[in-house]
Amino acid sequence: MFPFDSSKKLSFSRYISDGDLLIVYERHDNMKAVKVSESGVLQNRFGVFKHSDWIGKPFGSKVFSNKGGFVYLLAPTAELWTLVLSHRTQILYIADISFIVMYLEIVPGCLVLESGTGSGSLTTSLARAIAPSGHVYTFDFHEQRAASAREDFERTGLSNLVTVGVRDIQGVGFPDEFLGRADSVFLDLPQPWLAIPSASKMLKQDGVLCSFSPCIEQAQKSCETLRSDFTDVRTFEVLLHTYEVREGNLRSWQDNDGGSMSLKSCKKRQRSTKGLENASSLTIMARRNGESRGHTGYLTFARLKCTL
Amino acid sequence: MDSLISDMSTSKSGGISCKDQNRRITWEGCSVLLDINDGDRVLFARLTAGSKIKIGNKNCSLQPLIGCPFGSSFQVEDGKEGPVLSRVLQSTKGNSLQITEESRDNRMLVDNNSAQSLTGEDIDEMRRKGASGDEIVKALIANSATFEKKTAFSQEKYLLKKQKKYAPRVLLRRPFARSICEAYYKKHAERIGFLRVDTLSLLLSLANVSAYSDVLLVDMLDGIVTGAVAERLGGTGYVCNTYCGVTPYPINIVQMFNFNDDISPRIVHSSVAELHSYENGTSPPNDQLEDASTIRSQQNEQILSPSGQNADSMEENEDGNMEIMTDVAASTKVDKGTKAGRKAPVEAIKLWKENGFSSLIIAAPNLDPWGIVKEVLPLLSYSASFAIYHQYLQPLATCMNTLQAEKLAIGLQISEPWLREYQVLPSRTHPHMQMSATGGYILSGTRISGGDQTQTM
Ligand SMILES: C[S@@+](CC[C@H](N)C(=O)[O-])C[C@H]1O[C@@H](n2cnc3c(N)ncnc32)[C@H](O)[C@@H]1O
């Protein structure tokens, strides 16, 4: 998935070859992960695409179907993966993920513990951050989910950075082999406070824990539990607002003799055909997208106290 | 190519080499972030036998902090030879006061100065007799007529206030992108272009910064982005800072990270003219190369002695600001092992020309984004991710519109991060009364193979 292999440094191959995982981009809200195979075909509303036409082209190429429709072929990234993975659970998205990775102080070489694995959306970004020398041990008590996640990490080429375990973390905690070895711990569990005592034993001193919970009562209970072994207990909410941009033709009041009230949108190529007097009123405008996520969850961070 | 890399990573010239970037115990010569009284005052310092900080009216040596774990706390105590910082072990049994649901209220509290029977003279007298800060705080509580009547919450507030005054705490923090960005944002946001920590984290994600990336950067925020990227690369790949003209932008903040000898050589710079000049195998004119190397040494000079720019402006008053200890400069001079911000090796430039950079981040608060993008986007490989930070929305909107029209990129998006902190306490949970209203904007996207593609069907 990523050019993590040291043999590929500086000159990782950016040409599509048989067996590559790539992201087929139709539109920003329509993408799909595809594994390239000599004989494979992709069929969508634009027609039929033959994989064999793709091989040898650089990633980032525009490719055409038998009917002349086109898509773009992109190299996978953790962000794209989050957008195309199969949702077996609720997943975390880029705003929370980015903040978590930075606030957990995850850098290459870190040992990170996570539970539950869910659909592996966060895990993929954790793996990117600890590469090439660290490791993520992620646990889910749901056997099938763990197996599917394992298959995904195989597919995305992360399996030597991530180990998926089946375990009831709220019930029995993290395995003893990690005692005092974790740089960071992440919890996305229904009752995180049950896992916190174990997490505190796994962390190195000054190591950071994060717990994600959709409900404030969960965050509240977690904070109460955290206060005995942790300091710097802080709770945040992170969101992203996105903007749409367009070039519009705002007519002047004087030129407008009633009639149409609607804002005229104007595309670039139309500009030249318009009269000069109109060109002056072409404005690039931005506004927040109407639909937006209003809440994902509360992120509670805490730092293990230094007692030695 | 391999040899180029190993050459660079083994070129050590003395200095302190710590193999593990992720060290959790301080060492002599390491950079630390000192957090005094819960963020009231934050300062960067380098731990040397001679370095000192002033807390209240007391000068304390930082020597006792060497060899301590990051995350530990210290208090000023009176030693035989004056005030010393001594380690406070944190108890694991929660806060001194149990926070529970409250039944008391404040109807009985009368605000007059008679509540405290201990006078200023009494306190001075205690001090002369060698009472510790903690003892003074205890005495203040014992002599407060109203303390018992206060709600647990205001008792705690009272305690904290007195503790800060009479027994200040110094917390030893690890200088990481997170803590450095937060410290700057809190005390000197303008120096890092008001880049909030969540925005910085998004820049790194959206630009797909990962091990073995070759990241092209336009960092005009004194090196905060450079440092954050280098931290993520962990000694693999490259961070290449590019600039227009002949002078690279200063990256003073990079010094505050404890980058080891694997990471520092990965931080390089190259002018945009140079990056373009190897096009079609041509070499840049000789004089240009020479120019660049002279700048490099000037640049290093600048980095090694930030006294002009840094120490002066950073060192500030008592009323709670961020400072950079003057001896950061002094000890950096000694520590020649760390060489961040050298000129990019010619071999690397040639390879970037062939393969393109794998990521691009632009953080140039006073420049027009499109003016930069049109120059540097062609240096990226196809399918590479880019992220552009700006404090204002409009320049990014214009840039996005042009990128769309010229069909240079897909997945274009302008995002505005939003961050809110909460106070979470039993029956007293609510958002913080203050929040940062803007973390700036990011334009992100993916470069695509351009118009040279024709339909082949
Ligand atoms: C919301 S999902 C996690 C999503 C994940 N963060 C992501 O981004 O894809 C929560 C997961 O926790 C798992 N889980 C719930 N209770 C658990 C327990 N006691 N031990 C381990 N896993 C548990 C569930 O099976 C589920 O897959």
Side-chain angles (χ1 to χ4, degrees), chain B residues 51-92:
Chain B
S51 47
K52 284 193 158 69
I53 52 164
K54 194 163 182 190
I55 298 170
N57 52 1
K58 293 171 178 165
N59 260 317
C60 306
S61 158
L62 291 179
Q63 170 81 41
L65 276 57
I66 301 175
C68 288
F70 282 110
S72 46
S73 297
F74 298 81
Q75 246 175 8
V76 188
E77 270 171 23
D78 283 310
K80 285 186 208 90
E81 282 127 53
V84 286
L85 284 169
S86 85
R87 176 101 189 265
V88 190
L89 281 186
Q90 290 155 318
S91 75
T92 51

mmCIF file of all heavy atoms in Angstrom, chain B residues 51-92:
data_model
loop_
_atom_site.group_PDB
_atom_site.id
_atom_site.type_symbol
_atom_site.label_atom_id
_atom_site.label_comp_id
_atom_site.label_asym_id
_atom_site.label_seq_id
_atom_site.Cartn_x
_atom_site.Cartn_y
_atom_site.Cartn_z
ATOM 1 N N SER B 51 22.988 25.282 32.689
ATOM 2 C CA SER B 51 21.766 26.033 32.391
ATOM 3 C C SER B 51 20.915 26.260 33.633
ATOM 4 O O SER B 51 20.857 25.447 34.544
ATOM 5 C CB SER B 51 20.976 25.360 31.267
ATOM 6 O OG SER B 51 20.849 23.986 31.488
ATOM 7 N N LYS B 52 20.274 27.413 33.644
ATOM 8 C CA LYS B 52 19.488 27.825 34.821
ATOM 9 C C LYS B 52 18.156 28.388 34.362
ATOM 10 O O LYS B 52 18.034 28.893 33.252
ATOM 11 C CB LYS B 52 20.228 28.947 35.559
ATOM 12 C CG LYS B 52 21.410 28.498 36.379
ATOM 13 C CD LYS B 52 21.832 29.649 37.298
ATOM 14 C CE LYS B 52 22.617 29.197 38.496
ATOM 15 N NZ LYS B 52 23.940 28.687 38.234
ATOM 16 N N ILE B 53 17.150 28.293 35.229
ATOM 17 C CA ILE B 53 15.933 29.059 34.962
ATOM 18 C C ILE B 53 15.571 29.868 36.189
ATOM 19 O O ILE B 53 15.943 29.533 37.314
ATOM 20 C CB ILE B 53 14.699 28.198 34.586
ATOM 21 C CG1 ILE B 53 14.465 27.094 35.612
ATOM 22 C CG2 ILE B 53 14.780 27.677 33.202
ATOM 23 C CD1 ILE B 53 13.079 26.494 35.498
ATOM 24 N N LYS B 54 14.808 30.919 35.936
ATOM 25 C CA LYS B 54 14.380 31.756 37.033
ATOM 26 C C LYS B 54 12.909 31.457 37.307
ATOM 27 O O LYS B 54 12.070 31.533 36.414
ATOM 28 C CB LYS B 54 14.555 33.225 36.642
ATOM 29 C CG LYS B 54 14.453 34.143 37.828
ATOM 30 C CD LYS B 54 15.033 35.511 37.516
ATOM 31 C CE LYS B 54 14.944 36.355 38.786
ATOM 32 N NZ LYS B 54 15.243 37.752 38.579
ATOM 33 N N ILE B 55 12.635 31.076 38.544
ATOM 34 C CA ILE B 55 11.239 30.845 38.915
ATOM 35 C C ILE B 55 10.920 31.778 40.070
ATOM 36 O O ILE B 55 11.569 31.729 41.111
ATOM 37 C CB ILE B 55 11.014 29.386 39.332
ATOM 38 C CG1 ILE B 55 11.324 28.467 38.145
ATOM 39 C CG2 ILE B 55 9.579 29.183 39.808
ATOM 40 C CD1 ILE B 55 11.364 27.026 38.500
ATOM 41 N N GLY B 56 9.953 32.607 39.886
ATOM 42 C CA GLY B 56 9.692 33.652 40.867
ATOM 43 C C GLY B 56 10.940 34.527 40.917
ATOM 44 O O GLY B 56 11.401 35.019 39.898
ATOM 45 N N ASN B 57 11.526 34.635 42.119
ATOM 46 C CA ASN B 57 12.768 35.411 42.192
ATOM 47 C C ASN B 57 13.974 34.513 42.417
ATOM 48 O O ASN B 57 15.025 34.940 42.839
ATOM 49 C CB ASN B 57 12.651 36.462 43.303
ATOM 50 C CG ASN B 57 12.215 35.817 44.614
ATOM 51 O OD1 ASN B 57 12.029 34.594 44.663
ATOM 52 N ND2 ASN B 57 12.070 36.616 45.653
ATOM 53 N N LYS B 58 13.767 33.198 42.168
ATOM 54 C CA LYS B 58 14.843 32.260 42.437
ATOM 55 C C LYS B 58 15.477 31.702 41.173
ATOM 56 O O LYS B 58 14.768 31.318 40.236
ATOM 57 C CB LYS B 58 14.314 31.090 43.282
ATOM 58 C CG LYS B 58 13.918 31.537 44.673
ATOM 59 C CD LYS B 58 13.195 30.430 45.400
ATOM 60 C CE LYS B 58 12.843 30.897 46.812
ATOM 61 N NZ LYS B 58 11.850 30.000 47.412
ATOM 62 N N ASN B 59 16.779 31.662 41.160
ATOM 63 C CA ASN B 59 17.514 31.073 40.043
ATOM 64 C C ASN B 59 17.830 29.618 40.333
ATOM 65 O O ASN B 59 18.478 29.324 41.325
ATOM 66 C CB ASN B 59 18.824 31.828 39.851
ATOM 67 C CG ASN B 59 18.703 32.822 38.720
ATOM 68 O OD1 ASN B 59 18.128 32.491 37.673
ATOM 69 N ND2 ASN B 59 19.215 34.019 38.906
ATOM 70 N N CYS B 60 17.357 28.714 39.477
ATOM 71 C CA CYS B 60 17.594 27.304 39.761
ATOM 72 C C CYS B 60 18.370 26.663 38.620
ATOM 73 O O CYS B 60 18.098 26.926 37.450
ATOM 74 C CB CYS B 60 16.279 26.558 39.905
ATOM 75 S SG CYS B 60 15.175 27.292 41.094
ATOM 76 N N SER B 61 19.294 25.791 38.989
ATOM 77 C CA SER B 61 20.042 25.058 37.980
ATOM 78 C C SER B 61 19.160 23.953 37.404
ATOM 79 O O SER B 61 18.327 23.372 38.107
ATOM 80 C CB SER B 61 21.280 24.442 38.624
ATOM 81 O OG SER B 61 21.728 23.360 37.840
ATOM 82 N N LEU B 62 19.340 23.662 36.114
ATOM 83 C CA LEU B 62 18.551 22.600 35.485
ATOM 84 C C LEU B 62 19.238 21.236 35.602
ATOM 85 O O LEU B 62 18.712 20.227 35.168
ATOM 86 C CB LEU B 62 18.298 22.931 34.008
ATOM 87 C CG LEU B 62 17.349 24.112 33.763
ATOM 88 C CD1 LEU B 62 17.200 24.366 32.275
ATOM 89 C CD2 LEU B 62 15.989 23.843 34.393
ATOM 90 N N GLN B 63 20.429 21.252 36.192
ATOM 91 C CA GLN B 63 21.191 20.023 36.368
ATOM 92 C C GLN B 63 20.357 18.853 36.936
ATOM 93 O O GLN B 63 20.415 17.745 36.408
ATOM 94 C CB GLN B 63 22.395 20.311 37.288
ATOM 95 C CG GLN B 63 23.168 19.098 37.775
ATOM 96 C CD GLN B 63 24.150 18.597 36.739
ATOM 97 O OE1 GLN B 63 24.809 19.387 36.076
ATOM 98 N NE2 GLN B 63 24.225 17.284 36.576
ATOM 99 N N PRO B 64 19.525 19.081 37.983
ATOM 100 C CA PRO B 64 18.774 17.947 38.546
ATOM 101 C C PRO B 64 17.792 17.313 37.570
ATOM 102 O O PRO B 64 17.298 16.213 37.822
ATOM 103 C CB PRO B 64 17.997 18.567 39.716
ATOM 104 C CG PRO B 64 18.608 19.888 39.973
ATOM 105 C CD PRO B 64 19.264 20.328 38.718
ATOM 106 N N LEU B 65 17.503 17.978 36.458
ATOM 107 C CA LEU B 65 16.542 17.428 35.501
ATOM 108 C C LEU B 65 17.190 16.403 34.567
ATOM 109 O O LEU B 65 16.493 15.642 33.897
ATOM 110 C CB LEU B 65 15.917 18.557 34.671
ATOM 111 C CG LEU B 65 14.721 19.297 35.265
ATOM 112 C CD1 LEU B 65 15.074 19.896 36.612
ATOM 113 C CD2 LEU B 65 14.217 20.378 34.332
ATOM 114 N N ILE B 66 18.513 16.413 34.525
ATOM 115 C CA ILE B 66 19.210 15.491 33.620
ATOM 116 C C ILE B 66 19.070 14.068 34.131
ATOM 117 O O ILE B 66 19.300 13.797 35.310
ATOM 118 C CB ILE B 66 20.697 15.883 33.472
ATOM 119 C CG1 ILE B 66 20.810 17.305 32.923
ATOM 120 C CG2 ILE B 66 21.435 14.891 32.570
ATOM 121 C CD1 ILE B 66 22.224 17.847 32.853
ATOM 122 N N GLY B 67 18.658 13.175 33.239
ATOM 123 C CA GLY B 67 18.505 11.775 33.623
ATOM 124 C C GLY B 67 17.146 11.443 34.220
ATOM 125 O O GLY B 67 16.920 10.333 34.675
ATOM 126 N N CYS B 68 16.233 12.421 34.224
ATOM 127 C CA CYS B 68 14.890 12.166 34.755
ATOM 128 C C CYS B 68 13.951 11.808 33.609
ATOM 129 O O CYS B 68 14.148 12.218 32.477
ATOM 130 C CB CYS B 68 14.350 13.405 35.454
ATOM 131 S SG CYS B 68 15.174 13.729 37.004
ATOM 132 N N PRO B 69 12.883 11.055 33.921
ATOM 133 C CA PRO B 69 11.934 10.739 32.862
ATOM 134 C C PRO B 69 11.146 11.977 32.436
ATOM 135 O O PRO B 69 10.811 12.820 33.273
ATOM 136 C CB PRO B 69 10.987 9.717 33.503
ATOM 137 C CG PRO B 69 11.295 9.668 34.935
ATOM 138 C CD PRO B 69 12.565 10.390 35.194
ATOM 139 N N PHE B 70 10.861 12.067 31.136
ATOM 140 C CA PHE B 70 9.937 13.094 30.667
ATOM 141 C C PHE B 70 8.611 12.832 31.352
ATOM 142 O O PHE B 70 8.225 11.687 31.568
ATOM 143 C CB PHE B 70 9.766 13.007 29.151
ATOM 144 C CG PHE B 70 10.919 13.601 28.396
ATOM 145 C CD1 PHE B 70 11.793 12.787 27.695
ATOM 146 C CD2 PHE B 70 11.117 14.969 28.378
ATOM 147 C CE1 PHE B 70 12.859 13.331 26.997
ATOM 148 C CE2 PHE B 70 12.178 15.524 27.675
ATOM 149 C CZ PHE B 70 13.055 14.701 26.984
ATOM 150 N N GLY B 71 7.938 13.892 31.724
ATOM 151 C CA GLY B 71 6.668 13.722 32.424
ATOM 152 C C GLY B 71 6.824 13.919 33.919
ATOM 153 O O GLY B 71 5.830 13.986 34.636
ATOM 154 N N SER B 72 8.065 14.013 34.407
ATOM 155 C CA SER B 72 8.205 14.194 35.856
ATOM 156 C C SER B 72 8.098 15.671 36.235
ATOM 157 O O SER B 72 8.322 16.558 35.425
ATOM 158 C CB SER B 72 9.502 13.558 36.371
ATOM 159 O OG SER B 72 10.589 13.875 35.568
ATOM 160 N N SER B 73 7.752 15.884 37.507
ATOM 161 C CA SER B 73 7.539 17.248 38.011
ATOM 162 C C SER B 73 8.582 17.617 39.041
ATOM 163 O O SER B 73 9.096 16.746 39.747
ATOM 164 C CB SER B 73 6.188 17.355 38.707
ATOM 165 O OG SER B 73 5.171 17.111 37.833
ATOM 166 N N PHE B 74 8.815 18.919 39.164
ATOM 167 C CA PHE B 74 9.814 19.415 40.103
ATOM 168 C C PHE B 74 9.255 20.594 40.870
ATOM 169 O O PHE B 74 8.370 21.291 40.396
ATOM 170 C CB PHE B 74 11.075 19.835 39.349
ATOM 171 C CG PHE B 74 11.720 18.690 38.624
ATOM 172 C CD1 PHE B 74 11.227 18.283 37.384
ATOM 173 C CD2 PHE B 74 12.776 17.998 39.193
ATOM 174 C CE1 PHE B 74 11.786 17.209 36.723
ATOM 175 C CE2 PHE B 74 13.342 16.922 38.529
ATOM 176 C CZ PHE B 74 12.842 16.527 37.297
ATOM 177 N N GLN B 75 9.815 20.780 42.081
ATOM 178 C CA GLN B 75 9.443 21.918 42.908
ATOM 179 C C GLN B 75 10.707 22.617 43.364
ATOM 180 O O GLN B 75 11.745 21.973 43.500
ATOM 181 C CB GLN B 75 8.694 21.425 44.137
ATOM 182 C CG GLN B 75 7.258 21.855 44.158
ATOM 183 C CD GLN B 75 6.504 21.267 45.317
ATOM 184 O OE1 GLN B 75 7.080 20.659 46.195
ATOM 185 N NE2 GLN B 75 5.205 21.454 45.300
ATOM 186 N N VAL B 76 10.573 23.902 43.634
ATOM 187 C CA VAL B 76 11.740 24.623 44.141
ATOM 188 C C VAL B 76 11.858 24.365 45.633
ATOM 189 O O VAL B 76 10.900 24.556 46.379
ATOM 190 C CB VAL B 76 11.587 26.142 43.913
ATOM 191 C CG1 VAL B 76 12.889 26.853 44.266
ATOM 192 C CG2 VAL B 76 11.195 26.417 42.480
ATOM 193 N N GLU B 77 13.023 23.905 46.047
ATOM 194 C CA GLU B 77 13.260 23.741 47.477
ATOM 195 C C GLU B 77 14.528 24.469 47.867
ATOM 196 O O GLU B 77 15.374 24.742 47.026
ATOM 197 C CB GLU B 77 13.364 22.249 47.831
ATOM 198 C CG GLU B 77 12.007 21.676 48.185
ATOM 199 C CD GLU B 77 12.021 20.184 48.336
ATOM 200 O OE1 GLU B 77 13.104 19.614 48.606
ATOM 201 O OE2 GLU B 77 10.942 19.585 48.176
ATOM 202 N N ASP B 78 14.641 24.796 49.155
ATOM 203 C CA ASP B 78 15.843 25.493 49.580
ATOM 204 C C ASP B 78 16.935 24.503 49.926
ATOM 205 O O ASP B 78 16.811 23.720 50.864
ATOM 206 C CB ASP B 78 15.531 26.407 50.766
ATOM 207 C CG ASP B 78 14.820 27.659 50.291
ATOM 208 O OD1 ASP B 78 15.330 28.279 49.339
ATOM 209 O OD2 ASP B 78 13.748 27.969 50.831
ATOM 210 N N GLY B 79 17.982 24.522 49.143
ATOM 211 C CA GLY B 79 19.118 23.642 49.409
ATOM 212 C C GLY B 79 20.189 24.401 50.161
ATOM 213 O O GLY B 79 20.014 25.580 50.481
ATOM 214 N N LYS B 80 21.284 23.725 50.412
ATOM 215 C CA LYS B 80 22.379 24.383 51.154
ATOM 216 C C LYS B 80 22.939 25.556 50.369
ATOM 217 O O LYS B 80 23.249 26.604 50.903
ATOM 218 C CB LYS B 80 23.494 23.374 51.448
ATOM 219 C CG LYS B 80 23.125 22.413 52.572
ATOM 220 C CD LYS B 80 24.314 21.517 52.941
ATOM 221 C CE LYS B 80 23.845 20.193 53.497
ATOM 222 N NZ LYS B 80 23.652 19.156 52.456
ATOM 223 N N GLU B 81 23.061 25.330 49.033
ATOM 224 C CA GLU B 81 23.626 26.420 48.223
ATOM 225 C C GLU B 81 22.536 27.138 47.439
ATOM 226 O O GLU B 81 22.643 27.329 46.236
ATOM 227 C CB GLU B 81 24.681 25.868 47.266
ATOM 228 C CG GLU B 81 26.019 25.591 47.930
ATOM 229 C CD GLU B 81 26.482 24.168 47.657
ATOM 230 O OE1 GLU B 81 26.531 23.784 46.487
ATOM 231 O OE2 GLU B 81 26.770 23.453 48.626
ATOM 232 N N GLY B 82 21.462 27.471 48.095
ATOM 233 C CA GLY B 82 20.396 28.196 47.419
ATOM 234 C C GLY B 82 19.305 27.262 46.919
ATOM 235 O O GLY B 82 19.315 26.076 47.219
ATOM 236 N N PRO B 83 18.385 27.843 46.149
ATOM 237 C CA PRO B 83 17.224 27.073 45.706
ATOM 238 C C PRO B 83 17.594 25.952 44.724
ATOM 239 O O PRO B 83 18.448 26.163 43.854
ATOM 240 C CB PRO B 83 16.357 28.120 45.014
ATOM 241 C CG PRO B 83 17.259 29.255 44.700
ATOM 242 C CD PRO B 83 18.377 29.223 45.678
ATOM 243 N N VAL B 84 17.000 24.802 44.897
ATOM 244 C CA VAL B 84 17.213 23.703 43.948
ATOM 245 C C VAL B 84 15.874 23.135 43.505
ATOM 246 O O VAL B 84 14.888 23.172 44.240
ATOM 247 C CB VAL B 84 18.037 22.542 44.553
ATOM 248 C CG1 VAL B 84 19.496 22.907 44.678
ATOM 249 C CG2 VAL B 84 17.454 22.105 45.879
ATOM 250 N N LEU B 85 15.884 22.593 42.295
ATOM 251 C CA LEU B 85 14.696 21.917 41.782
ATOM 252 C C LEU B 85 14.745 20.475 42.256
ATOM 253 O O LEU B 85 15.728 19.767 42.018
ATOM 254 C CB LEU B 85 14.686 21.954 40.261
ATOM 255 C CG LEU B 85 14.290 23.296 39.644
ATOM 256 C CD1 LEU B 85 14.563 23.297 38.153
ATOM 257 C CD2 LEU B 85 12.824 23.586 39.935
ATOM 258 N N SER B 86 13.701 20.051 42.974
ATOM 259 C CA SER B 86 13.730 18.653 43.385
ATOM 260 C C SER B 86 12.469 17.946 42.908
ATOM 261 O O SER B 86 11.391 18.523 42.820
ATOM 262 C CB SER B 86 13.935 18.541 44.886
ATOM 263 O OG SER B 86 12.702 18.656 45.532
ATOM 264 N N ARG B 87 12.656 16.701 42.586
ATOM 265 C CA ARG B 87 11.618 15.900 41.940
ATOM 266 C C ARG B 87 10.449 15.660 42.882
ATOM 267 O O ARG B 87 10.633 15.361 44.057
ATOM 268 C CB ARG B 87 12.269 14.565 41.529
ATOM 269 C CG ARG B 87 11.369 13.554 40.924
ATOM 270 C CD ARG B 87 11.486 13.521 39.422
ATOM 271 N NE ARG B 87 10.414 12.669 38.905
ATOM 272 C CZ ARG B 87 10.570 11.399 38.622
ATOM 273 N NH1 ARG B 87 11.740 10.822 38.719
ATOM 274 N NH2 ARG B 87 9.540 10.670 38.197
ATOM 275 N N VAL B 88 9.234 15.821 42.370
ATOM 276 C CA VAL B 88 8.028 15.501 43.139
ATOM 277 C C VAL B 88 7.455 14.234 42.544
ATOM 278 O O VAL B 88 7.163 14.193 41.357
ATOM 279 C CB VAL B 88 6.958 16.613 42.966
ATOM 280 C CG1 VAL B 88 5.815 16.404 43.939
ATOM 281 C CG2 VAL B 88 7.566 17.980 43.115
ATOM 282 N N LEU B 89 7.317 13.216 43.353
ATOM 283 C CA LEU B 89 6.741 11.983 42.816
ATOM 284 C C LEU B 89 5.228 12.092 42.816
ATOM 285 O O LEU B 89 4.625 12.512 43.796
ATOM 286 C CB LEU B 89 7.204 10.770 43.618
ATOM 287 C CG LEU B 89 8.613 10.292 43.272
ATOM 288 C CD1 LEU B 89 8.937 9.008 44.008
ATOM 289 C CD2 LEU B 89 8.785 10.090 41.770
ATOM 290 N N GLN B 90 4.638 11.710 41.698
ATOM 291 C CA GLN B 90 3.188 11.820 41.608
ATOM 292 C C GLN B 90 2.553 10.613 42.283
ATOM 293 O O GLN B 90 3.001 9.488 42.086
ATOM 294 C CB GLN B 90 2.772 11.883 40.126
ATOM 295 C CG GLN B 90 3.171 13.195 39.486
ATOM 296 C CD GLN B 90 3.324 13.062 37.992
ATOM 297 O OE1 GLN B 90 3.874 12.086 37.492
ATOM 298 N NE2 GLN B 90 2.836 14.047 37.270
ATOM 299 N N SER B 91 1.559 10.869 43.075
ATOM 300 C CA SER B 91 0.880 9.753 43.730
ATOM 301 C C SER B 91 -0.092 9.137 42.741
ATOM 302 O O SER B 91 -0.557 9.796 41.822
ATOM 303 C CB SER B 91 0.116 10.235 44.953
ATOM 304 O OG SER B 91 -1.041 10.913 44.506
ATOM 305 N N THR B 92 -0.392 7.880 42.916
ATOM 306 C CA THR B 92 -1.329 7.253 41.990
ATOM 307 C C THR B 92 -2.729 7.212 42.578
ATOM 308 O O THR B 92 -3.588 6.530 42.093
ATOM 309 C CB THR B 92 -0.897 5.814 41.648
ATOM 310 O OG1 THR B 92 -0.651 5.125 42.865
ATOM 311 C CG2 THR B 92 0.320 5.813 40.776
#
